[in-house]
Amino acid sequence: MIDRQDHRPLYVQLADILREQIRTGQLLPGAVLPSELSLQQGHDLGRPAVRQAIEVLEREGLVVKERGRPTRVREEAEREPIVLGPNDEAITRMPSDPERRRLGLPLGEPVLEVRRGDGGVDVYRGSTAVVRSR
Amino acid sequence: MIDRQDHRPLYVQLADILREQIRTGQLLPGAVLPSELSLQQGHDLGRPAVRQAIEVLEREGLVVKERGRPTRVREEAEREPIVLGPNDEAITRMPSDPERRRLGLPLGEPVLEVRRGDGGVDVYRGSTAVVRSR
DNA sequence: CTTGATTTGTACGTATGTATT
DNA sequence: AAATACATACGTACAAATCAA
């Protein structure tokens, strides 16, 4: 329940509510979130608060937004192993906005950058990569 | 230069301009970005467009915002090696909002989660971790 | 195929709160 | 105390993408 006496921002409160629904399986992966309008009406909030709450979840990689379509709970992608050789290094970072579009990544998804011992660099989709040694 | 005839959103255009200034060293790490107000006036934009542009850079991990202080270009943190054993795995993901606060991470920073062969799990600050094999 | 309803995206303005300088 | 800077939150309008009738 949103509490206007609470010191926490309204959008944080709403984000917490929705995150909890995702965590408990009340909103399953692939499920559609209530539209912005119904969230506004259902919680008596303005549009900015609702959008900011959903944005928090998007940044966490919990939901995916597409224009014209209802926002959905992100489905867990399968992880593909990335093998790290003895002279390789891996770092994680956020892609730049142009890079993100080029790679076809949703907002809120980091990349895994592997710098090979031979000087090569590979960039992987963060949500699907698992680094293994050897 | 912001072009209102351009098909790209105004905030994307402004984000591109600022990103370029950071890339070329016109804005060095640690440097202060122009305030929202001066960006509004300097580019003839409203506040939402300016804030959204800066938010794009924040999501990329390029700038850090602190309430009451001017927004600054993020300084490159030194990378600390994380050694991955033969039975360990590492994945990258965005932290949840509560987790992010607990770890003291700025917005726009992923975490590196290492699942040890013995069942233990370590979570590292993404911007400072380098995974090495062996 | 077209229309209309739904949903999210972009962008404006305004007011007030809070932290820092 | 005052000025500066970002944060929260409201409202509004129109655009663009999607989908179902």
Side-chain angles (χ1 to χ4, degrees), chain A residues 51-67:
Chain A
R51 283 182 62 79
Q52 212 171 340
I54 293 175
E55 188 192 297
V56 168
L57 303 179
E58 190 187 15
R59 288 180 95 137
E60 296 176 14
L62 282 180
V63 304
V64 180
K65 296 170 73 158
E66 279 175 283
R67 190 191 197 130

Side-chain angles (χ1 to χ4, degrees), chain A residues 67-126:
Chain A
R67 190 191 197 130
R69 291 185 184 168
T71 299
R72 300 187 322 279
V73 179
R74 181 181 295 184
E75 314 199 42
E76 273 295 318
E78 268 193 37
R79 299 265 178 182
E80 216 177 328
I82 309 295
V83 177
L84 212 62
N87 292 314
D88 301 338
E89 289 181 348
I91 67 166
T92 180
R93 61 174 174 80
M94 296 311 284
S96 74
D97 206 52
E99 181 184 25
R100 183 179 63 74
R101 276 190 259 268
R102 199 172 58 239
L103 297 173
L105 301 181
L107 281 166
E109 178 159 341
V111 295
L112 190 83
E113 186 176 300
V114 179
R115 299 168 179 173
R116 304 292 180 184
D118 61 15
V121 176
D122 296 318
V123 177
Y124 299 93
R125 179 183 276 257

